Amino acid sequence: MFAQQTQTVYLSGTGAEDTKEWEFKCSEGRYCGSWSTIEVPSHWEQQGFGEYNYGHVPFDQRLKETGTYRYDFEVPESWENNTVKIVFEGVMTDARVSINGQSAGEKHQGAFYPFEYDITPLLNFGEENTLEVVVDKFSANMSINWAERQADYWVFGGIFRPVFLEVLPQQYIDRVAIDAKADGSVKTEAHLAGIEDATSVTLNIQNTDGETLASFSNDIDKQENVALINGTFENPKLWSPEFPNLYHFQFQLKDQSGNVIHSVSERMGFRTVEIRAQDGIYVNGVKVRLKGVNRHTFHPDYGRTSSKAFSIADVNRIKDMNMNAVRMAHYPPDQHFLEAADSIGLFVLDELAGWQHPGYDTEVGRKLLKEMIYDDMNHPSIVLWDNANEGGWNPAYDEDFKKLDIQKREVIHPWGVHEKINAAHYFNYNYLSMDNFAPRKIFLPTEFLHGLYDGGHGAGLKDFWQQMYNHPLGGGAFLWSFSDECVNRTDTNQLDCDGNHAPDGIFSPYFKKEGSFYTIREIWAPIVFEERYITPEFNGTFNIENRFYYTSLRQVDISYEWVKLPSDDEGRKVLHEGQASVSDLPPQDAGVLKVDLFDGWQESDLLSIEAHDPHGRLIHTWTWPVQSPAKFAESRLPEANDQAPEMEESDDLYQFKSGDFYINITKENAMLEKAGNKNGEFPIYGGPFVVDEEVNCENVEVESLENAYQVTATCEERHLFIQWTIKADGLVDLDVQYHLPPDVRDYAGISFSYPEEEMEGVRLIADGPYRVWKNRMAGPQFGLWDKAYNNTITGYSGYEYPEFKGFYSNLYKTTFQNKTAPDFSVYSKSEDIFLRLFSPENPPEPVNTRVEYPEGDISFMHGILPIGTKFKPTNELGPQSSRYNYLPRRLENRILSLSLSFDFTGE
């Protein structure tokens, strides 16, 4: 007698990038009717067969293909005294399996659930065997089609998850169920098959090095074919997303002499999940808020066929946003995704499929629910079960979740209220007053701030999260959604997002970060800094909060740098660096962080503070400008020589020249008509004009100063003041003051014209490298950013990130780099100025993410636009998403003022 572990032999490949070739024939659509070959696992659409369907296509307009698969495999003679099973991890949608021409069992229906057959009596040992699988893309059970295939996502066909054989002894452990609590109590079930002389099961709890730390045993209940093994494990290291400690739970089936007949092992963590009514979600006795995102299993090249590497990458991307949770939308994922969530650390909401009403019928729903729970229950990452989505739930089996799950995890109805939790979707900001009609339910929205193109996600998150975090019944929230689910079609070789249905993600189709990534990372960072400015009186301290749940700040690496940004003659220079001083701040406490003030710190350009968690993962980098824009400009601008420019005057222009430099200002409204030098004409002209304001200032005067000329326009109508100061050799100052009528406004600022085709890029000293919206200011960092021009329309075309066009906050300097015209720079001497670079095009069907930009091409602005979500306009998204209430009496001297310096010297 020898101990035998389950032997796994793959008939398919193991995932999207590791496949095997099978024979294949498709009934309808592309390349139908004759035998060919196909890679398995895969979707047949991505292999060139059949027809593409988005889930909104009416059923009567779909082909409903059938695919027939064949694969020959050899079975060694040595297996003859074993039990051999064939396991399918996922098939879309109905599957009939035969071995050597004989049915392996009843047809399986339902795409996202593993199923298996004992094929021992059907095999020819020592010979070649033939597997045949007939797959119907459209299920014979209409409730499955409604639950899985009438949905807001791409629907495919085929054997899309791996297929393998399990070789087991004749007496074996069929499955195990584990409940390991934070207090060390262990409750397990070992469900057995083929039992004859086996008498007991031993549970060994081992560390990750395989060292056995504790053992428990119990006899087999042969009537039930189960062994119940319970015990207490002393001082376990607990599992949480911050410290995902895992143990191996090894189960050994033994005979009366103690010989091991069969052994299986599961990774599990010790943790206790409690949903406390009218209170919150507690894990290991700590009240937590879930910061999460909805994730489909998706890759543009492979559809819903995934791999272990893809899952690990996605979990890391989620963790990199300082999220601690993920919701499985809208079906259970691959096992390797749950394994990655276990080991890297995420709370998981695991979901029975059912996009919207109607969902599964009771009979098939119960069958698929059992398959999901039996396959997924031994994952410490799973803290809640979802009974489908947005009305797709079938209440008939709500109670079955706890009956099947040894841990008795609770079930929720995403979009609805069920038992202790309100999982509302797509509410407006005012709903967060919690004076709704479910005021005592834990508030855990499983979808909110629906992304579309560049809208949603980070836009509005700060306002929403502040309310949710501070409310005692706030349980967290899940953004929609993780990535743009655009398929790379094999019939057109183009990405297809099905219009505006699929570009909902924080990541692009090929997982490039969009701007919301950084906004989310900052807002959901477990270290929160007070909002403050660095002034000359700064004493080196910040008030901070530790929003970790299980981590003290002594376990976090926090460093700082005082930095001098590059100038024309030297690169970036760190003037002083060190480790920040912070008390041993326990989780959920507030305290003080201190950086050293070295002699001359005021001459730095920025202060940067960076934090890494105990595992080395970057939490965030926070930056603050040290100098005012005016002081920075003064230190960087070249000095003008003492030679005043020459001036000439025509009927409608003031014309100035200094060496090779010339500039023309109009006598009406003091507009820049043109400027240039020996290398050509600068491509900026036609400004400044106050955006969306018709103002005519005919009172334009010129004055000669000692070393310069001033052209001044005043207009009493709008209290508009424009003053150009033209110095020698191409140094020009512009001061603008303007007064707007009291009103609710979308933006405020001044604009110029600039031919977009001339733009090559900018070198920007501002917050970057990503653009901002009024309601998405967090995330970018102050520094120097080289940005090449691109014409990306977020989520629609180009897919070059960061985008070029849009608004940039905290402008200090920008150098405009041109294709043929000479380069030049503009410094802002005023605080809190936004740079606007052209107008990004609105993508098709933008709904509430449509943005109407101000006039002009290049703007220097006091106020900018917010952006909406797919379902909500900006006026429903909170204070930061609101329009500006402009009242002159709330401004110093009742005016908005702006000071710029143009460096046309070419130095």
Side-chain angles (χ1 to χ4, degrees):
M1 182 84 58
F2 61 92
Q4 183 175 329
Q5 295 183 339
T6 304
Q7 183 181 355
T8 300
V9 178
Y10 279 89
L11 302 183
S12 71
T14 58
E17 297 178 305
D18 172 38
T19 58
K20 288 183 181 177
E21 194 175 85
W22 291 18
E23 294 180 89
F24 180 72
K25 181 171 67 175
C26 189
S27 66
E28 297 180 78
R30 295 173 297 150
Y31 302 105
C32 66
S34 59
W35 283 98
S36 181
T37 58
I38 193 170
E39 299 299 318
V40 181
S42 71
H43 294 297
W44 62 57
E45 296 87 349
Q46 292 307 94
Q47 296 288 310
F49 299 96
E51 177 192 54
Y52 282 98
N53 298 133
Y54 198 80
H56 288 331
V57 176
F59 289 159
D60 60 6
Q61 296 178 23
R62 305 187 192 184
L63 288 183
K64 306 178 180 67
E65 310 99 270
T66 294
T68 304
Y69 295 78
R70 284 200 306 234
Y71 184 73
D72 294 332
F73 61 98
E74 291 188 2
V75 175
E77 285 187 27
S78 59
W79 290 6
E80 192 161 6
N81 293 320
N82 293 79
T83 297
V84 181
K85 294 183 178 182
I86 188 167
V87 179
F88 293 80
E89 292 196 339
V91 178
M92 288 185 180
T93 300
D94 289 0
R96 289 162 284 167
V97 179
S98 63
I99 302 291
N100 298 323
Q102 299 182 70
S103 173
E106 67 175 21
K107 173 171 61 179
H108 184 270
Q109 297 177 303
F112 303 101
Y113 310 89
F115 58 97
E116 63 183 38
Y117 302 100
D118 183 345
I119 58 172
T120 310
L122 306 179
L123 293 173
N124 298 318
F125 293 93
E127 301 179 24
E128 191 170 76
N129 294 262
T130 298
L131 164 67
E132 183 171 283
V133 187
V134 179
V135 178
D136 297 320
K137 183 175 175 180
F138 194 81
S139 179
N141 182 310
M142 279 305 296
S143 79
I144 290 176
N145 296 319
W146 287 115
E148 298 180 6
R149 308 195 67 78
Q150 181 65 34
D152 191 6
Y153 48 79
W154 287 101
V155 291
F156 299 98
I159 301 174
F160 73 105
R161 289 178 178 169
V163 182
F164 53 87
L165 301 177
E166 286 187 339
V167 186
L168 307 117
Q170 292 178 346
Q171 302 178 81
Y172 62 92
I173 301 169
D174 187 39
R175 65 178 181 87
V176 297
I178 305 170
D179 184 15
K181 298 293 190 188
D183 63 2
S185 61
V186 177
K187 177 182 176 183
T188 69
E189 299 172 359
H191 295 265
L192 314 170
I195 298 305
E196 293 179 356
D197 57 350
T199 59
S200 66
V201 175
T202 295
L203 166 63
N204 298 315
I205 299 178
Q206 302 172 330
N207 62 22
T208 53
D209 294 327
E211 178 188 1
T212 297
L213 307 176
S215 295
F216 312 97
S217 297
N218 203 2
D219 292 338
I220 297 169
D221 179 342
K222 292 198 174 182
Q223 283 190 325
E224 299 294 333
N225 269 350
V226 67
L228 307 179
I229 310 105
N230 303 327
T232 300
F233 182 72
E234 297 295 331
N235 300 315
K237 295 179 180 179
L238 302 186
W239 184 93
S240 72
E242 294 169 27
F243 296 98
N245 295 302
L246 293 170
Y247 293 85
H248 292 290
F249 283 61
Q250 182 192 60
F251 293 82
Q252 295 177 324
L253 178 66
K254 295 181 177 180
D255 63 15
Q256 191 167 10
S257 300
N259 298 308
V260 178
I261 301 169
H262 185 219
S263 175
V264 299
S265 186
E266 294 269 2
R267 282 193 320 175
M268 190 63 186
F270 287 84
R271 58 100 180 92
T272 298
V273 180
E274 303 169 86
I275 313 300
R276 299 182 186 176
Q278 300 184 35
D279 187 353
I281 301 167
Y282 286 77
V283 178
N284 302 336
V286 176
K287 187 174 184 177
V288 298
R289 289 170 176 81
L290 309 187
K291 305 177 295 184
V293 68
N294 286 265
R295 177 206 180 250
H296 275 287
T297 302
F298 196 83
H299 188 284
D301 295 337
Y302 308 107
R304 308 205 186 282
T305 300
S306 188
S307 70
K308 181 177 180 179
F310 288 175
S311 289
I312 291 171
D314 279 1
V315 170
N316 276 311
R317 291 179 181 116
I318 294 168
K319 291 279 286 189
D320 285 346
M321 291 185 280
N322 287 314
M323 294 180 177
N324 63 9
V326 61
R327 176 190 174 209
M328 302 291 92
H330 291 295
Y331 40 79
D334 301 83
Q335 280 299 303
H336 45 67
F337 183 86
L338 295 174
E339 290 166 1
D342 292 342
S343 61
I344 300 172
L346 282 176
F347 294 128
V348 173
L349 275 58
D350 201 3
E351 185 157 307
L352 186 73
W355 180 64
Q356 287 183 350
H357 184 78
Y360 294 128
D361 66 47
T362 301
E363 181 179 356
V364 76
R366 282 196 160 120
K367 179 176 180 295
L368 297 175
L369 174 63
K370 180 184 289 188
E371 290 174 352
M372 178 182 80
I373 291 184
Y374 283 1
D375 202 45
D376 293 356
M377 74 166 76
N378 295 326
H379 289 282
S381 55
I382 297 174
V383 293
L384 288 167
W385 302 110
D386 296 352
N387 186 351
N389 174 67
E390 293 187 344
W393 51 76
N394 183 339
Y397 42 75
D398 273 336
E399 295 303 316
D400 292 21
F401 283 85
K402 288 185 180 179
K403 291 177 183 177
L404 294 167
D405 178 16
I406 191 173
Q407 297 179 33
K408 310 301 180 189
R409 282 166 282 212
E410 303 209 19
V411 63
I412 65 173
H413 288 179
W415 183 66
V417 175
H418 180 67
E419 295 184 342
K420 303 169 188 174
I421 289 177
N422 175 6
H425 288 181
Y426 306 122
F427 42 90
N428 60 26
Y429 177 80
N430 290 342
Y431 189 86
L432 297 174
S433 63
M434 302 299 181
D435 57 357
N436 53 67
F437 296 102
R440 291 177 178 262
K441 301 295 184 182
I442 298 166
F443 189 57
L444 182 66
T446 41
E447 295 178 27
F448 83 124
L449 293 178
H450 195 303
L452 177 62
Y453 304 125
D454 203 29
H457 301 138
L461 178 61
K462 188 172 184 178
D463 284 337
F464 273 69
W465 187 246
Q466 184 172 334
Q467 291 292 95
M468 293 176 180
Y469 188 86
N470 290 332
H471 197 282
L473 293 182
F478 292 81
L479 294 162
W480 185 273
S481 66
F482 175 68
S483 66
D484 294 341
E485 291 158 40
C486 310
V487 64
N488 186 8
R489 294 178 67 122
T490 55
D491 53 355
T492 65
N493 294 318
Q494 293 183 339
L495 283 173
D496 186 352
C497 306
D498 199 58
N500 73 354
H501 291 137
D504 301 341
I506 301 165
F507 290 87
S508 76
Y510 286 99
F511 307 105
K512 292 182 179 179
K513 301 178 182 74
E514 296 180 7
S516 276
F517 172 95
Y518 296 95
T519 306
I520 295 162
R521 186 173 74 177
E522 179 173 350
I523 293 171
W524 276 352
I527 301 174
V528 177
F529 282 78
E530 64 175 327
E531 295 190 15
R532 65 164 304 167
Y533 303 107
I534 304 295
T535 66
E537 295 75 32
F538 177 57
N539 65 359
T541 64
F542 293 90
N543 295 318
I544 62 169
E545 290 180 61
N546 177 3
R547 289 191 178 179
F548 280 106
Y549 294 107
Y550 308 97
T551 304
S552 164
L553 287 196
R554 68 175 171 79
Q555 300 169 282
V556 177
D557 180 80
I558 307 176
S559 60
Y560 66 86
E561 292 181 338
W562 295 94
V563 176
K564 196 75 174 175
L565 291 172
S567 60
D568 293 332
D569 56 356
E570 61 180 16
R572 183 182 188 273
K573 185 177 181 181
V574 177
L575 303 179
H576 184 71
E577 61 185 331
Q579 293 298 117
S581 173
V582 60
S583 59
D584 183 10
L585 202 60
Q588 298 294 295
D589 203 352
V592 172
L593 178 146
K594 185 174 178 59
V595 299
D596 290 340
L597 298 178
F598 69 102
D599 289 340
W601 67 267
Q602 297 94 335
E603 301 306 310
S604 304
D605 291 326
L606 68 88
L607 169 64
S608 170
I609 298 179
E610 187 167 284
H612 292 81
D613 75 8
H615 312 286
R617 187 183 301 274
L618 175 66
I619 296 170
H620 190 60
T621 303
W622 296 264
T623 55
W624 295 264
V626 175
Q627 301 183 39
S628 69
K631 184 179 178 183
F632 178 85
E634 181 183 352
S635 68
R636 296 298 180 101
L637 277 164
E639 290 187 15
N641 65 43
D642 295 336
Q643 185 71 37
E646 300 173 3
M647 187 193 85
E648 294 182 2
E649 186 174 351
S650 67
D651 290 342
D652 54 2
L653 293 173
Y654 295 112
Q655 299 168 306
F656 304 92
K657 187 174 181 182
S658 176
D660 294 324
F661 171 72
Y662 62 89
I663 184 170
N664 296 347
I665 306 297
T666 64
K667 290 184 175 181
E668 183 178 353
N669 295 328
M671 295 285 185
L672 172 63
E673 192 259 344
K674 66 179 178 180
N677 63 21
K678 65 180 179 180
N679 296 315
E681 191 171 304
F682 298 107
I684 188 168
Y685 62 95
F689 61 88
V690 179
V691 294
D692 288 1
E693 287 291 319
E694 291 288 339
V695 181
N696 291 309
C697 297
E698 297 182 358
N699 183 19
V700 179
E701 298 178 347
V702 64
E703 181 181 0
S704 175
L705 305 179
E706 182 178 355
N707 297 315
Y709 278 94
Q710 278 187 341
V711 180
T712 304
T714 55
C715 178
E716 296 298 330
E717 179 186 354
R718 288 286 185 267
H719 302 285
L720 177 63
F721 172 85
I722 299 172
Q723 186 173 80
W724 293 93
T725 303
I726 296 105
K727 305 174 186 177
D729 297 330
L731 296 176
V732 178
D733 292 338
L734 173 63
D735 293 284
V736 179
Q737 298 175 358
Y738 62 100
H739 167 109
L740 301 172
D743 201 353
V744 178
R745 296 190 167 271
D746 292 318
Y747 39 70
I750 62 170
S751 283
F752 291 83
S753 295
Y754 203 113
E756 188 173 326
E757 63 273 14
E758 181 60 35
M759 180 65 73
E760 190 165 70
V762 294
R763 178 168 244 216
L764 193 63
I765 295 179
D767 293 337
Y770 281 82
R771 67 191 185 194
V772 298
W773 301 99
K774 180 177 181 289
N775 57 351
R776 199 185 77 189
M777 297 286 286
Q781 299 163 21
F782 182 77
L784 186 146
W785 308 104
D786 286 306
K787 293 182 63 68
Y789 174 86
N790 65 58
N791 196 25
T792 291
I793 302 174
T794 309
Y796 176 69
S797 67
Y799 299 105
E800 293 182 58
Y801 298 102
E803 306 93 334
F804 182 81
K805 298 180 180 180
F807 301 112
Y808 295 85
S809 56
N810 212 7
L811 175 66
Y812 274 52
K813 177 187 178 183
T814 179
T815 298
F816 293 98
Q817 299 161 334
N818 302 299
K819 293 179 180 176
T820 60
D823 299 346
F824 67 98
S825 298
V826 181
Y827 292 78
S828 171
K829 296 180 179 179
S830 300
E831 294 169 331
D832 305 318
I833 298 301
F834 298 90
L835 171 68
R836 175 273 195 104
L837 296 175
F838 304 110
S839 299
E841 296 176 48
N842 281 302
E845 302 177 87
V847 254
N848 295 299
T849 67
R850 175 182 294 278
V851 176
E852 299 298 335
Y853 291 87
E855 299 173 86
D857 301 307
I858 301 296
S859 304
F860 302 91
M861 309 196 68
H862 291 99
I864 62 171
L865 293 153
I867 192 169
T869 74
K870 186 170 188 176
F871 296 140
K872 296 293 181 185
T874 55
N875 62 3
E876 295 184 22
L877 297 179
Q880 291 187 347
S881 303
S882 301
R883 302 172 72 193
Y884 294 98
N885 286 304
Y886 178 84
L887 288 173
R889 68 173 182 269
R890 294 175 180 167
L891 300 172
E892 186 175 0
N893 300 321
R894 302 176 67 86
I895 58 170
L896 290 167
S897 60
L898 173 65
S899 293
L900 303 175
S901 288
F902 291 76
D903 180 359
F904 292 120
T905 65
E907 295 182 10

